[in-house]
Amino acid sequence: MAYSGSVGTTVITVQTLIDHGARRCGKLAEELTSEQVLSARESLFFLLSNLINIGIQYWAIDKKVYGFSPDRATYLLPLGGNDVLNALYRWMNRPDGSYTTSAGGTLGNVYDGDVDTICTQTTANGNISVNYGPSNPIFIGSIGFLPAASGTWSIIYEYSLDNVTWSTLVDLGTITVVNNEWVWTDIENGQTVPYYRIRAYNGTTLSLREWYLGNNSTEITMSRLNRDDFTNLPNKNFTANQPFQYWFNRTIPQSEIVLWPTPQNAFYQMTIWYSRQIMDVGDLYGELEVPQRWYEAVVMMLAHRMSLELPGVPADRTSYLEKQADKYLSMAEEEERDKSPIYFAPNISVYTR
């Protein structure tokens, strides 16, 4: 026998899951009306949304780097974010280099350390580059820019070995930027080179308060406050360069991270690792954002939910599907774990002093 030679390449669409769910209810997929298919699709959305209440799905953990704005204490978790897993206060080194602009503007304003000065290029699709010296290649771990205008921009970061041939470092694509709000990008696969640049395309005109290339970052864990501790702070408007603590306000439509003290340095950052909802169910021919090991659990849970809404499904079949759904969900959740070593450090000093 010849094996397929492939792993993890079979595409399971939303329609396929609904068809299997119908058959496990004792119905032919062809029997489903358009209303029942829509209901099944919504049931699929409901069950995926509820998974966040059971535990952390490790494929649905994201990272976001926030740039601080002086005197601003509240920052929004991205839409769909559920809970903060780690919050770290960060600062970086900013290497000195020689900057050039391809399209005018007051160049010195992008690296003068003053967020109130602005460099606006005179033509679209321009770039700003930095030269650290041909014999001084530098690894850059994070790049941020502080826009001086709001809008939809197309931005790409590039690097070069010779200041002639440029390669893509990170293509941010078309993004929405807000005046005086940092856009930070950690460089996951970096380069050690002497030349970097930020380039606009698709008709974007660069207007920047700062362009910051950083390395040798230092991150310190921030402590989480509960609601009582935060509300009992005597001076909630206390300011400092370093925010030691934060209160996570789980509100809607987006949760809030409220820092204390209120940060004052616009060139420091906060790194947040957070759990989020699984991506929304798309059209019938799209895929779900779930790993292969979860397929059976999702199908059984969907079949059980469909059995509650489809007409003529016997009660004993519904009961059976519920047990199977619980069984496969338990199996999937038991596998959804971090297998790294656990270190316990009990503090018994109170008994020995």
Side-chain angles (χ1 to χ4, degrees), residues 90-155:
R90 175 206 277 183
W91 68 90
M92 295 185 297
N93 177 52
R94 189 181 198 178
D96 293 327
S98 175
Y99 290 76
T100 57
T101 172
S102 70
T106 308
L107 180 62
N109 291 345
V110 300
Y111 59 91
D112 62 356
D114 185 348
V115 297
D116 293 323
T117 59
I118 298 171
C119 172
T120 300
Q121 294 193 325
T122 57
T123 59
N125 300 332
N127 68 75
I128 297 174
S129 62
V130 60
N131 174 6
Y132 293 119
S135 60
N136 185 38
I138 287 180
F139 176 87
I140 295 298
S142 189
I143 302 177
F145 68 87
L146 187 61
S150 301
T152 302
W153 292 11
S154 296
I155 299 293

Side-chain angles (χ1 to χ4, degrees), residues 18-19 37 51 68 73 103 114 118 148 152-153 184 194-195 199 208 250 259 268 271 273 305 307 311 324 327:
I18 292 175
D19 291 349
V37 171
L51 288 180
F68 290 145
D114 185 348
I118 298 171
T152 302
W153 292 11
W184 282 101
Y195 307 97
R199 179 170 63 84
L208 303 178
R250 302 184 72 177
L259 302 180
Y268 290 173
T271 303
W273 293 86
R305 288 171 180 255
S307 73
Q324 292 298 302
K327 168 186 171 183

Side-chain angles (χ1 to χ4, degrees), residues 35-65:
E35 179 184 358
Q36 290 167 342
V37 171
L38 176 61
S39 176
R41 186 162 158 252
E42 292 174 343
S43 291
L44 190 54
F45 168 74
F46 295 150
L47 76 87
L48 292 179
S49 298
N50 189 59
L51 288 180
I52 201 72
N53 297 320
I54 300 172
I56 296 173
Q57 281 67 55
Y58 282 89
W59 71 90
I61 295 176
D62 283 349
K63 180 178 78 168
K64 180 174 176 58
V65 179

